[in-house]
Amino acid sequence: MVYFTSDVHLGGGGPEVARRVERQFVAWLDAVSADAEAVVLLGDIFDFWFEYREVVPRGFVRTLGRLAAMTDRGIRVLFFTGNHDQWMRDYLARECGVEVYTAPRVVTLCGQRLFLAHGDNMNIGERPALRLLNAVFRSRLLRWLFSWGVHPDWAMRFGHAWSAHSRRKHIRQGPPPVSLTDPLVEYARRYAARNRDAVDHFVFGHMHVARDYREGSLHTVHLGCWERGPVYARLDEAGNLRLEHFTPDL
Ligand SMILES: [Mn+2]
């Protein structure tokens, strides 16, 4: 089995929510470890992560411990960075044995060709504000300035404030409509038309709305977010990929 999840936003939503979500996430990691060959984490696992060469954010010990234990047992953990945790270096790879990817990638698992991406900078050609934000976030110069010019305590405070601001905005807007995932479906459509090597399934996170979409041979799965209830996708040995909800027994 291969399991996929995203947008856990560990550490977000205040201490109480953060503790609850981490307990649920760790329970999920324990549950899927029973028969997982690989676990794919598709971005925004952390609500804010900014890593220095010698210093990493505090917290998340249960999660990091579980990830290390899983890879020690031979379970592959693929970690795709999201827009909230893209400032990652080599800590998770070295300390927890996780494979970290900062860009979309086609991977074969259980005999299926999977296009995997968080989904934050795809099909945004006509969204200038998003393009600008994306360029700022990905700028190596700004990252360097932030890293060397701002004390880490302030950097973390700033990061959590930014994350909380975007969370409040999303809460004000109410539950996201399924149509939010349409640009990613369109991206998948174009990708499938351009590339001859057929992709069996596209899996995305980012939009915080769960959706299982089929159109001819196109199959896109959009993972939801954990604050609205733990959700994940499961790929079985026969190549079937479907969304599931997790009810932790806490
Ligand atoms: Mn997210």
Side-chain angles (χ1 to χ4, degrees), residues 187-223:
Y187 178 93
R189 228 179 251 132
R190 284 192 214 153
Y191 183 92
R194 257 199 337 266
N195 291 275
R196 240 181 261 166
D197 297 336
V199 163
D200 299 300
H201 315 276
F202 291 80
V203 191
F204 299 108
H206 186 55
M207 295 304 183
H208 290 206
V209 50
R211 183 187 194 185
D212 189 325
Y213 180 79
R214 285 175 195 275
E215 173 190 289
S217 61
L218 190 77
H219 184 210
T220 69
V221 169
H222 308 264
L223 303 160

PDB file of all heavy atoms in Angstrom, residues 187-223:
ATOM      1  N   TYR A 187      -4.491  21.834 -15.264  1.00  0.00           N
ATOM      2  CA  TYR A 187      -3.050  21.582 -15.374  1.00  0.00           C
ATOM      3  C   TYR A 187      -2.816  20.117 -15.754  1.00  0.00           C
ATOM      4  O   TYR A 187      -2.029  19.805 -16.652  1.00  0.00           O
ATOM      5  CB  TYR A 187      -2.346  21.903 -14.047  1.00  0.00           C
ATOM      6  CG  TYR A 187      -0.866  21.623 -14.083  1.00  0.00           C
ATOM      7  CD1 TYR A 187       0.046  22.619 -14.412  1.00  0.00           C
ATOM      8  CD2 TYR A 187      -0.389  20.333 -13.824  1.00  0.00           C
ATOM      9  CE1 TYR A 187       1.399  22.347 -14.479  1.00  0.00           C
ATOM     10  CE2 TYR A 187       0.970  20.057 -13.898  1.00  0.00           C
ATOM     11  CZ  TYR A 187       1.857  21.060 -14.212  1.00  0.00           C
ATOM     12  OH  TYR A 187       3.198  20.773 -14.290  1.00  0.00           O
ATOM     13  N   ALA A 188      -3.519  19.213 -15.082  1.00  0.00           N
ATOM     14  CA  ALA A 188      -3.364  17.777 -15.339  1.00  0.00           C
ATOM     15  C   ALA A 188      -3.788  17.430 -16.771  1.00  0.00           C
ATOM     16  O   ALA A 188      -3.126  16.656 -17.464  1.00  0.00           O
ATOM     17  CB  ALA A 188      -4.181  16.978 -14.327  1.00  0.00           C
ATOM     18  N   ARG A 189      -4.888  18.026 -17.197  1.00  0.00           N
ATOM     19  CA  ARG A 189      -5.393  17.825 -18.558  1.00  0.00           C
ATOM     20  C   ARG A 189      -4.325  18.196 -19.582  1.00  0.00           C
ATOM     21  O   ARG A 189      -4.023  17.449 -20.501  1.00  0.00           O
ATOM     22  CB  ARG A 189      -6.593  18.754 -18.747  1.00  0.00           C
ATOM     23  CG  ARG A 189      -7.807  18.091 -19.349  1.00  0.00           C
ATOM     24  CD  ARG A 189      -8.921  19.099 -19.473  1.00  0.00           C
ATOM     25  NE  ARG A 189      -9.987  18.852 -18.522  1.00  0.00           N
ATOM     26  CZ  ARG A 189     -10.549  19.781 -17.738  1.00  0.00           C
ATOM     27  NH1 ARG A 189     -10.126  21.044 -17.772  1.00  0.00           N
ATOM     28  NH2 ARG A 189     -11.523  19.453 -16.931  1.00  0.00           N
ATOM     29  N   ARG A 190      -3.744  19.380 -19.407  1.00  0.00           N
ATOM     30  CA  ARG A 190      -2.716  19.856 -20.349  1.00  0.00           C
ATOM     31  C   ARG A 190      -1.479  18.984 -20.273  1.00  0.00           C
ATOM     32  O   ARG A 190      -0.872  18.676 -21.288  1.00  0.00           O
ATOM     33  CB  ARG A 190      -2.330  21.308 -20.024  1.00  0.00           C
ATOM     34  CG  ARG A 190      -3.379  22.286 -20.482  1.00  0.00           C
ATOM     35  CD  ARG A 190      -2.838  23.700 -20.401  1.00  0.00           C
ATOM     36  NE  ARG A 190      -3.889  24.621 -20.039  1.00  0.00           N
ATOM     37  CZ  ARG A 190      -3.705  25.771 -19.407  1.00  0.00           C
ATOM     38  NH1 ARG A 190      -2.500  26.141 -19.046  1.00  0.00           N
ATOM     39  NH2 ARG A 190      -4.720  26.549 -19.139  1.00  0.00           N
ATOM     40  N   TYR A 191      -1.106  18.608 -19.076  1.00  0.00           N
ATOM     41  CA  TYR A 191       0.081  17.760 -18.895  1.00  0.00           C
ATOM     42  C   TYR A 191      -0.133  16.432 -19.618  1.00  0.00           C
ATOM     43  O   TYR A 191       0.747  15.948 -20.329  1.00  0.00           O
ATOM     44  CB  TYR A 191       0.355  17.525 -17.412  1.00  0.00           C
ATOM     45  CG  TYR A 191       1.602  16.713 -17.167  1.00  0.00           C
ATOM     46  CD1 TYR A 191       2.827  17.338 -16.964  1.00  0.00           C
ATOM     47  CD2 TYR A 191       1.553  15.313 -17.167  1.00  0.00           C
ATOM     48  CE1 TYR A 191       3.980  16.592 -16.765  1.00  0.00           C
ATOM     49  CE2 TYR A 191       2.701  14.558 -16.981  1.00  0.00           C
ATOM     50  CZ  TYR A 191       3.906  15.206 -16.771  1.00  0.00           C
ATOM     51  OH  TYR A 191       5.049  14.465 -16.583  1.00  0.00           O
ATOM     52  N   ALA A 192      -1.315  15.859 -19.451  1.00  0.00           N
ATOM     53  CA  ALA A 192      -1.616  14.559 -20.079  1.00  0.00           C
ATOM     54  C   ALA A 192      -1.608  14.681 -21.598  1.00  0.00           C
ATOM     55  O   ALA A 192      -1.172  13.772 -22.296  1.00  0.00           O
ATOM     56  CB  ALA A 192      -2.963  14.048 -19.581  1.00  0.00           C
ATOM     57  N   ALA A 193      -2.074  15.825 -22.113  1.00  0.00           N
ATOM     58  CA  ALA A 193      -2.112  16.017 -23.563  1.00  0.00           C
ATOM     59  C   ALA A 193      -0.694  16.177 -24.128  1.00  0.00           C
ATOM     60  O   ALA A 193      -0.424  15.789 -25.255  1.00  0.00           O
ATOM     61  CB  ALA A 193      -2.958  17.247 -23.902  1.00  0.00           C
ATOM     62  N   ARG A 194       0.198  16.775 -23.350  1.00  0.00           N
ATOM     63  CA  ARG A 194       1.564  17.072 -23.801  1.00  0.00           C
ATOM     64  C   ARG A 194       2.500  15.879 -23.689  1.00  0.00           C
ATOM     65  O   ARG A 194       3.443  15.763 -24.446  1.00  0.00           O
ATOM     66  CB  ARG A 194       2.148  18.187 -22.929  1.00  0.00           C
ATOM     67  CG  ARG A 194       2.175  19.539 -23.548  1.00  0.00           C
ATOM     68  CD  ARG A 194       3.160  20.483 -22.845  1.00  0.00           C
ATOM     69  NE  ARG A 194       3.493  20.164 -21.478  1.00  0.00           N
ATOM     70  CZ  ARG A 194       2.874  20.670 -20.414  1.00  0.00           C
ATOM     71  NH1 ARG A 194       1.873  21.511 -20.570  1.00  0.00           N
ATOM     72  NH2 ARG A 194       3.265  20.332 -19.204  1.00  0.00           N
ATOM     73  N   ASN A 195       2.266  15.030 -22.698  1.00  0.00           N
ATOM     74  CA  ASN A 195       3.224  13.962 -22.410  1.00  0.00           C
ATOM     75  C   ASN A 195       2.704  12.605 -22.851  1.00  0.00           C
ATOM     76  O   ASN A 195       1.612  12.208 -22.478  1.00  0.00           O
ATOM     77  CB  ASN A 195       3.543  13.934 -20.913  1.00  0.00           C
ATOM     78  CG  ASN A 195       4.330  15.160 -20.511  1.00  0.00           C
ATOM     79  OD1 ASN A 195       5.542  15.186 -20.622  1.00  0.00           O
ATOM     80  ND2 ASN A 195       3.617  16.188 -20.072  1.00  0.00           N
ATOM     81  N   ARG A 196       3.537  11.925 -23.627  1.00  0.00           N
ATOM     82  CA  ARG A 196       3.092  10.663 -24.171  1.00  0.00           C
ATOM     83  C   ARG A 196       3.084   9.551 -23.120  1.00  0.00           C
ATOM     84  O   ARG A 196       2.231   8.680 -23.148  1.00  0.00           O
ATOM     85  CB  ARG A 196       3.984  10.274 -25.353  1.00  0.00           C
ATOM     86  CG  ARG A 196       3.136  10.137 -26.618  1.00  0.00           C
ATOM     87  CD  ARG A 196       3.978   9.730 -27.767  1.00  0.00           C
ATOM     88  NE  ARG A 196       4.312  10.902 -28.589  1.00  0.00           N
ATOM     89  CZ  ARG A 196       5.254  10.891 -29.521  1.00  0.00           C
ATOM     90  NH1 ARG A 196       5.964   9.811 -29.725  1.00  0.00           N
ATOM     91  NH2 ARG A 196       5.468  11.949 -30.256  1.00  0.00           N
ATOM     92  N   ASP A 197       4.043   9.592 -22.201  1.00  0.00           N
ATOM     93  CA  ASP A 197       4.070   8.564 -21.154  1.00  0.00           C
ATOM     94  C   ASP A 197       2.905   8.823 -20.216  1.00  0.00           C
ATOM     95  O   ASP A 197       2.932   9.771 -19.439  1.00  0.00           O
ATOM     96  CB  ASP A 197       5.388   8.628 -20.362  1.00  0.00           C
ATOM     97  CG  ASP A 197       6.578   8.335 -21.263  1.00  0.00           C
ATOM     98  OD1 ASP A 197       6.377   7.664 -22.296  1.00  0.00           O
ATOM     99  OD2 ASP A 197       7.686   8.796 -20.943  1.00  0.00           O
ATOM    100  N   ALA A 198       1.928   7.985 -20.310  1.00  0.00           N
ATOM    101  CA  ALA A 198       0.685   8.247 -19.584  1.00  0.00           C
ATOM    102  C   ALA A 198       0.899   8.217 -18.073  1.00  0.00           C
ATOM    103  O   ALA A 198       1.603   7.360 -17.539  1.00  0.00           O
ATOM    104  CB  ALA A 198      -0.357   7.221 -19.983  1.00  0.00           C
ATOM    105  N   VAL A 199       0.303   9.180 -17.411  1.00  0.00           N
ATOM    106  CA  VAL A 199       0.282   9.203 -15.955  1.00  0.00           C
ATOM    107  C   VAL A 199      -1.040   8.557 -15.538  1.00  0.00           C
ATOM    108  O   VAL A 199      -2.101   8.876 -16.076  1.00  0.00           O
ATOM    109  CB  VAL A 199       0.365  10.662 -15.442  1.00  0.00           C
ATOM    110  CG1 VAL A 199      -0.055  10.757 -13.992  1.00  0.00           C
ATOM    111  CG2 VAL A 199       1.775  11.207 -15.623  1.00  0.00           C
ATOM    112  N   ASP A 200      -0.983   7.615 -14.609  1.00  0.00           N
ATOM    113  CA  ASP A 200      -2.217   6.941 -14.191  1.00  0.00           C
ATOM    114  C   ASP A 200      -3.053   7.794 -13.243  1.00  0.00           C
ATOM    115  O   ASP A 200      -4.274   7.799 -13.320  1.00  0.00           O
ATOM    116  CB  ASP A 200      -1.868   5.606 -13.528  1.00  0.00           C
ATOM    117  CG  ASP A 200      -1.136   4.669 -14.493  1.00  0.00           C
ATOM    118  OD1 ASP A 200      -1.731   4.336 -15.529  1.00  0.00           O
ATOM    119  OD2 ASP A 200       0.024   4.308 -14.220  1.00  0.00           O
ATOM    120  N   HIS A 201      -2.375   8.474 -12.331  1.00  0.00           N
ATOM    121  CA  HIS A 201      -3.101   9.303 -11.358  1.00  0.00           C
ATOM    122  C   HIS A 201      -2.305  10.577 -11.065  1.00  0.00           C
ATOM    123  O   HIS A 201      -1.082  10.522 -10.944  1.00  0.00           O
ATOM    124  CB  HIS A 201      -3.289   8.577 -10.024  1.00  0.00           C
ATOM    125  CG  HIS A 201      -3.724   7.156 -10.150  1.00  0.00           C
ATOM    126  ND1 HIS A 201      -5.042   6.788 -10.306  1.00  0.00           N
ATOM    127  CD2 HIS A 201      -3.012   5.997 -10.158  1.00  0.00           C
ATOM    128  CE1 HIS A 201      -5.113   5.466 -10.382  1.00  0.00           C
ATOM    129  NE2 HIS A 201      -3.898   4.967 -10.302  1.00  0.00           N
ATOM    130  N   PHE A 202      -3.008  11.679 -10.921  1.00  0.00           N
ATOM    131  CA  PHE A 202      -2.410  12.924 -10.436  1.00  0.00           C
ATOM    132  C   PHE A 202      -2.859  13.098  -8.979  1.00  0.00           C
ATOM    133  O   PHE A 202      -4.048  12.939  -8.686  1.00  0.00           O
ATOM    134  CB  PHE A 202      -2.923  14.125 -11.234  1.00  0.00           C
ATOM    135  CG  PHE A 202      -2.424  14.157 -12.660  1.00  0.00           C
ATOM    136  CD1 PHE A 202      -3.019  13.381 -13.648  1.00  0.00           C
ATOM    137  CD2 PHE A 202      -1.363  14.988 -13.022  1.00  0.00           C
ATOM    138  CE1 PHE A 202      -2.569  13.414 -14.962  1.00  0.00           C
ATOM    139  CE2 PHE A 202      -0.903  15.032 -14.323  1.00  0.00           C
ATOM    140  CZ  PHE A 202      -1.506  14.239 -15.300  1.00  0.00           C
ATOM    141  N   VAL A 203      -1.931  13.425  -8.107  1.00  0.00           N
ATOM    142  CA  VAL A 203      -2.318  13.671  -6.705  1.00  0.00           C
ATOM    143  C   VAL A 203      -1.811  15.057  -6.299  1.00  0.00           C
ATOM    144  O   VAL A 203      -0.621  15.365  -6.469  1.00  0.00           O
ATOM    145  CB  VAL A 203      -1.745  12.606  -5.742  1.00  0.00           C
ATOM    146  CG1 VAL A 203      -2.385  12.747  -4.359  1.00  0.00           C
ATOM    147  CG2 VAL A 203      -1.967  11.191  -6.287  1.00  0.00           C
ATOM    148  N   PHE A 204      -2.720  15.874  -5.800  1.00  0.00           N
ATOM    149  CA  PHE A 204      -2.394  17.240  -5.394  1.00  0.00           C
ATOM    150  C   PHE A 204      -2.884  17.506  -3.975  1.00  0.00           C
ATOM    151  O   PHE A 204      -3.842  16.887  -3.503  1.00  0.00           O
ATOM    152  CB  PHE A 204      -3.114  18.265  -6.290  1.00  0.00           C
ATOM    153  CG  PHE A 204      -2.764  18.197  -7.748  1.00  0.00           C
ATOM    154  CD1 PHE A 204      -3.684  17.708  -8.670  1.00  0.00           C
ATOM    155  CD2 PHE A 204      -1.536  18.657  -8.203  1.00  0.00           C
ATOM    156  CE1 PHE A 204      -3.382  17.668 -10.032  1.00  0.00           C
ATOM    157  CE2 PHE A 204      -1.228  18.624  -9.559  1.00  0.00           C
ATOM    158  CZ  PHE A 204      -2.152  18.128 -10.485  1.00  0.00           C
ATOM    159  N   GLY A 205      -2.267  18.506  -3.342  1.00  0.00           N
ATOM    160  CA  GLY A 205      -2.772  19.019  -2.066  1.00  0.00           C
ATOM    161  C   GLY A 205      -3.175  20.465  -2.274  1.00  0.00           C
ATOM    162  O   GLY A 205      -3.776  20.809  -3.286  1.00  0.00           O
ATOM    163  N   HIS A 206      -2.839  21.286  -1.335  1.00  0.00           N
ATOM    164  CA  HIS A 206      -2.885  22.751  -1.406  1.00  0.00           C
ATOM    165  C   HIS A 206      -4.248  23.426  -1.309  1.00  0.00           C
ATOM    166  O   HIS A 206      -4.386  24.436  -0.656  1.00  0.00           O
ATOM    167  CB  HIS A 206      -2.175  23.235  -2.679  1.00  0.00           C
ATOM    168  CG  HIS A 206      -2.050  24.718  -2.777  1.00  0.00           C
ATOM    169  ND1 HIS A 206      -1.458  25.474  -1.790  1.00  0.00           N
ATOM    170  CD2 HIS A 206      -2.428  25.606  -3.736  1.00  0.00           C
ATOM    171  CE1 HIS A 206      -1.477  26.745  -2.140  1.00  0.00           C
ATOM    172  NE2 HIS A 206      -2.058  26.864  -3.312  1.00  0.00           N
ATOM    173  N   MET A 207      -5.272  22.908  -1.984  1.00  0.00           N
ATOM    174  CA  MET A 207      -6.530  23.648  -2.058  1.00  0.00           C
ATOM    175  C   MET A 207      -7.437  23.430  -0.841  1.00  0.00           C
ATOM    176  O   MET A 207      -8.460  24.085  -0.710  1.00  0.00           O
ATOM    177  CB  MET A 207      -7.284  23.289  -3.336  1.00  0.00           C
ATOM    178  CG  MET A 207      -6.565  23.699  -4.611  1.00  0.00           C
ATOM    179  SD  MET A 207      -6.190  25.476  -4.624  1.00  0.00           S
ATOM    180  CE  MET A 207      -5.453  25.650  -6.260  1.00  0.00           C
ATOM    181  N   HIS A 208      -7.071  22.503   0.018  1.00  0.00           N
ATOM    182  CA  HIS A 208      -7.830  22.230   1.248  1.00  0.00           C
ATOM    183  C   HIS A 208      -9.252  21.745   0.982  1.00  0.00           C
ATOM    184  O   HIS A 208     -10.141  21.931   1.803  1.00  0.00           O
ATOM    185  CB  HIS A 208      -7.853  23.464   2.179  1.00  0.00           C
ATOM    186  CG  HIS A 208      -6.527  23.757   2.790  1.00  0.00           C
ATOM    187  ND1 HIS A 208      -6.384  24.413   3.985  1.00  0.00           N
ATOM    188  CD2 HIS A 208      -5.262  23.460   2.373  1.00  0.00           C
ATOM    189  CE1 HIS A 208      -5.087  24.532   4.277  1.00  0.00           C
ATOM    190  NE2 HIS A 208      -4.398  23.961   3.311  1.00  0.00           N
ATOM    191  N   VAL A 209      -9.455  21.166  -0.183  1.00  0.00           N
ATOM    192  CA  VAL A 209     -10.751  20.559  -0.465  1.00  0.00           C
ATOM    193  C   VAL A 209     -10.500  19.184  -1.091  1.00  0.00           C
ATOM    194  O   VAL A 209      -9.673  19.052  -1.988  1.00  0.00           O
ATOM    195  CB  VAL A 209     -11.651  21.487  -1.334  1.00  0.00           C
ATOM    196  CG1 VAL A 209     -10.934  21.986  -2.548  1.00  0.00           C
ATOM    197  CG2 VAL A 209     -12.934  20.799  -1.744  1.00  0.00           C
ATOM    198  N   ALA A 210     -11.162  18.175  -0.530  1.00  0.00           N
ATOM    199  CA  ALA A 210     -10.965  16.807  -1.011  1.00  0.00           C
ATOM    200  C   ALA A 210     -11.839  16.565  -2.229  1.00  0.00           C
ATOM    201  O   ALA A 210     -13.021  16.935  -2.246  1.00  0.00           O
ATOM    202  CB  ALA A 210     -11.304  15.817   0.101  1.00  0.00           C
ATOM    203  N   ARG A 211     -11.248  15.979  -3.257  1.00  0.00           N
ATOM    204  CA  ARG A 211     -12.006  15.721  -4.480  1.00  0.00           C
ATOM    205  C   ARG A 211     -11.367  14.554  -5.221  1.00  0.00           C
ATOM    206  O   ARG A 211     -10.146  14.460  -5.321  1.00  0.00           O
ATOM    207  CB  ARG A 211     -11.957  16.969  -5.369  1.00  0.00           C
ATOM    208  CG  ARG A 211     -12.774  16.862  -6.640  1.00  0.00           C
ATOM    209  CD  ARG A 211     -12.517  18.070  -7.526  1.00  0.00           C
ATOM    210  NE  ARG A 211     -13.500  18.199  -8.591  1.00  0.00           N
ATOM    211  CZ  ARG A 211     -13.435  19.117  -9.553  1.00  0.00           C
ATOM    212  NH1 ARG A 211     -12.453  19.990  -9.575  1.00  0.00           N
ATOM    213  NH2 ARG A 211     -14.360  19.182 -10.490  1.00  0.00           N
ATOM    214  N   ASP A 212     -12.207  13.692  -5.721  1.00  0.00           N
ATOM    215  CA  ASP A 212     -11.752  12.569  -6.533  1.00  0.00           C
ATOM    216  C   ASP A 212     -12.409  12.774  -7.897  1.00  0.00           C
ATOM    217  O   ASP A 212     -13.625  12.652  -8.025  1.00  0.00           O
ATOM    218  CB  ASP A 212     -12.216  11.260  -5.880  1.00  0.00           C
ATOM    219  CG  ASP A 212     -11.601  10.048  -6.560  1.00  0.00           C
ATOM    220  OD1 ASP A 212     -11.402  10.088  -7.790  1.00  0.00           O
ATOM    221  OD2 ASP A 212     -11.330   9.057  -5.860  1.00  0.00           O
ATOM    222  N   TYR A 213     -11.599  13.116  -8.897  1.00  0.00           N
ATOM    223  CA  TYR A 213     -12.171  13.526 -10.182  1.00  0.00           C
ATOM    224  C   TYR A 213     -11.694  12.630 -11.319  1.00  0.00           C
ATOM    225  O   TYR A 213     -10.494  12.361 -11.460  1.00  0.00           O
ATOM    226  CB  TYR A 213     -11.777  14.982 -10.469  1.00  0.00           C
ATOM    227  CG  TYR A 213     -12.317  15.505 -11.772  1.00  0.00           C
ATOM    228  CD1 TYR A 213     -13.637  15.913 -11.872  1.00  0.00           C
ATOM    229  CD2 TYR A 213     -11.501  15.560 -12.905  1.00  0.00           C
ATOM    230  CE1 TYR A 213     -14.144  16.375 -13.081  1.00  0.00           C
ATOM    231  CE2 TYR A 213     -12.004  16.028 -14.107  1.00  0.00           C
ATOM    232  CZ  TYR A 213     -13.312  16.431 -14.184  1.00  0.00           C
ATOM    233  OH  TYR A 213     -13.808  16.884 -15.383  1.00  0.00           O
ATOM    234  N   ARG A 214     -12.644  12.174 -12.129  1.00  0.00           N
ATOM    235  CA  ARG A 214     -12.308  11.370 -13.309  1.00  0.00           C
ATOM    236  C   ARG A 214     -12.941  11.972 -14.541  1.00  0.00           C
ATOM    237  O   ARG A 214     -14.063  12.480 -14.502  1.00  0.00           O
ATOM    238  CB  ARG A 214     -12.823   9.940 -13.156  1.00  0.00           C
ATOM    239  CG  ARG A 214     -11.999   9.115 -12.211  1.00  0.00           C
ATOM    240  CD  ARG A 214     -12.626   7.744 -12.017  1.00  0.00           C
ATOM    241  NE  ARG A 214     -12.050   7.079 -10.856  1.00  0.00           N
ATOM    242  CZ  ARG A 214     -10.925   6.374 -10.894  1.00  0.00           C
ATOM    243  NH1 ARG A 214     -10.265   6.231 -12.032  1.00  0.00           N
ATOM    244  NH2 ARG A 214     -10.463   5.811  -9.814  1.00  0.00           N
ATOM    245  N   GLU A 215     -12.177  11.882 -15.634  1.00  0.00           N
ATOM    246  CA  GLU A 215     -12.676  12.413 -16.918  1.00  0.00           C
ATOM    247  C   GLU A 215     -11.968  11.591 -17.984  1.00  0.00           C
ATOM    248  O   GLU A 215     -10.788  11.813 -18.237  1.00  0.00           O
ATOM    249  CB  GLU A 215     -12.299  13.900 -16.980  1.00  0.00           C
ATOM    250  CG  GLU A 215     -12.560  14.591 -18.271  1.00  0.00           C
ATOM    251  CD  GLU A 215     -11.913  15.990 -18.253  1.00  0.00           C
ATOM    252  OE1 GLU A 215     -12.421  16.862 -17.527  1.00  0.00           O
ATOM    253  OE2 GLU A 215     -10.901  16.185 -18.942  1.00  0.00           O
ATOM    254  N   GLY A 216     -12.641  10.611 -18.551  1.00  0.00           N
ATOM    255  CA  GLY A 216     -11.976   9.689 -19.478  1.00  0.00           C
ATOM    256  C   GLY A 216     -10.874   8.947 -18.748  1.00  0.00           C
ATOM    257  O   GLY A 216     -11.101   8.372 -17.674  1.00  0.00           O
ATOM    258  N   SER A 217      -9.647   9.028 -19.287  1.00  0.00           N
ATOM    259  CA  SER A 217      -8.546   8.314 -18.628  1.00  0.00           C
ATOM    260  C   SER A 217      -7.842   9.189 -17.592  1.00  0.00           C
ATOM    261  O   SER A 217      -6.901   8.752 -16.941  1.00  0.00           O
ATOM    262  CB  SER A 217      -7.545   7.840 -19.689  1.00  0.00           C
ATOM    263  OG  SER A 217      -7.032   8.957 -20.364  1.00  0.00           O
ATOM    264  N   LEU A 218      -8.303  10.434 -17.459  1.00  0.00           N
ATOM    265  CA  LEU A 218      -7.692  11.343 -16.484  1.00  0.00           C
ATOM    266  C   LEU A 218      -8.251  11.087 -15.079  1.00  0.00           C
ATOM    267  O   LEU A 218      -9.458  10.990 -14.900  1.00  0.00           O
ATOM    268  CB  LEU A 218      -7.985  12.789 -16.895  1.00  0.00           C
ATOM    269  CG  LEU A 218      -7.244  13.900 -16.142  1.00  0.00           C
ATOM    270  CD1 LEU A 218      -5.805  13.995 -16.636  1.00  0.00           C
ATOM    271  CD2 LEU A 218      -7.943  15.236 -16.336  1.00  0.00           C
ATOM    272  N   HIS A 219      -7.343  10.968 -14.117  1.00  0.00           N
ATOM    273  CA  HIS A 219      -7.779  10.787 -12.731  1.00  0.00           C
ATOM    274  C   HIS A 219      -6.985  11.728 -11.848  1.00  0.00           C
ATOM    275  O   HIS A 219      -5.762  11.635 -11.780  1.00  0.00           O
ATOM    276  CB  HIS A 219      -7.565   9.334 -12.286  1.00  0.00           C
ATOM    277  CG  HIS A 219      -8.076   9.061 -10.910  1.00  0.00           C
ATOM    278  ND1 HIS A 219      -7.522   8.125 -10.068  1.00  0.00           N
ATOM    279  CD2 HIS A 219      -9.093   9.626 -10.212  1.00  0.00           C
ATOM    280  CE1 HIS A 219      -8.191   8.115  -8.917  1.00  0.00           C
ATOM    281  NE2 HIS A 219      -9.139   9.020  -8.976  1.00  0.00           N
ATOM    282  N   THR A 220      -7.661  12.673 -11.205  1.00  0.00           N
ATOM    283  CA  THR A 220      -6.968  13.552 -10.260  1.00  0.00           C
ATOM    284  C   THR A 220      -7.581  13.374  -8.874  1.00  0.00           C
ATOM    285  O   THR A 220      -8.797  13.297  -8.722  1.00  0.00           O
ATOM    286  CB  THR A 220      -7.041  15.049 -10.664  1.00  0.00           C
ATOM    287  OG1 THR A 220      -8.375  15.527 -10.511  1.00  0.00           O
ATOM    288  CG2 THR A 220      -6.591  15.280 -12.097  1.00  0.00           C
ATOM    289  N   VAL A 221      -6.685  13.308  -7.902  1.00  0.00           N
ATOM    290  CA  VAL A 221      -7.126  13.199  -6.506  1.00  0.00           C
ATOM    291  C   VAL A 221      -6.592  14.416  -5.767  1.00  0.00           C
ATOM    292  O   VAL A 221      -5.406  14.741  -5.855  1.00  0.00           O
ATOM    293  CB  VAL A 221      -6.616  11.892  -5.871  1.00  0.00           C
ATOM    294  CG1 VAL A 221      -6.826  11.905  -4.361  1.00  0.00           C
ATOM    295  CG2 VAL A 221      -7.327  10.694  -6.491  1.00  0.00           C
ATOM    296  N   HIS A 222      -7.485  15.113  -5.088  1.00  0.00           N
ATOM    297  CA  HIS A 222      -7.119  16.307  -4.336  1.00  0.00           C
ATOM    298  C   HIS A 222      -7.330  16.005  -2.857  1.00  0.00           C
ATOM    299  O   HIS A 222      -8.437  15.673  -2.443  1.00  0.00           O
ATOM    300  CB  HIS A 222      -7.986  17.493  -4.782  1.00  0.00           C
ATOM    301  CG  HIS A 222      -7.971  17.679  -6.272  1.00  0.00           C
ATOM    302  ND1 HIS A 222      -7.129  18.555  -6.891  1.00  0.00           N
ATOM    303  CD2 HIS A 222      -8.664  17.055  -7.261  1.00  0.00           C
ATOM    304  CE1 HIS A 222      -7.308  18.477  -8.201  1.00  0.00           C
ATOM    305  NE2 HIS A 222      -8.240  17.571  -8.455  1.00  0.00           N
ATOM    306  N   LEU A 223      -6.240  16.110  -2.113  1.00  0.00           N
ATOM    307  CA  LEU A 223      -6.305  15.799  -0.687  1.00  0.00           C
ATOM    308  C   LEU A 223      -6.883  17.015   0.041  1.00  0.00           C
ATOM    309  O   LEU A 223      -6.626  18.144  -0.344  1.00  0.00           O
ATOM    310  CB  LEU A 223      -4.900  15.476  -0.186  1.00  0.00           C
ATOM    311  CG  LEU A 223      -4.219  14.320  -0.943  1.00  0.00           C
ATOM    312  CD1 LEU A 223      -2.716  14.375  -0.767  1.00  0.00           C
ATOM    313  CD2 LEU A 223      -4.772  12.975  -0.488  1.00  0.00           C
TER     314      LEU A 223
END
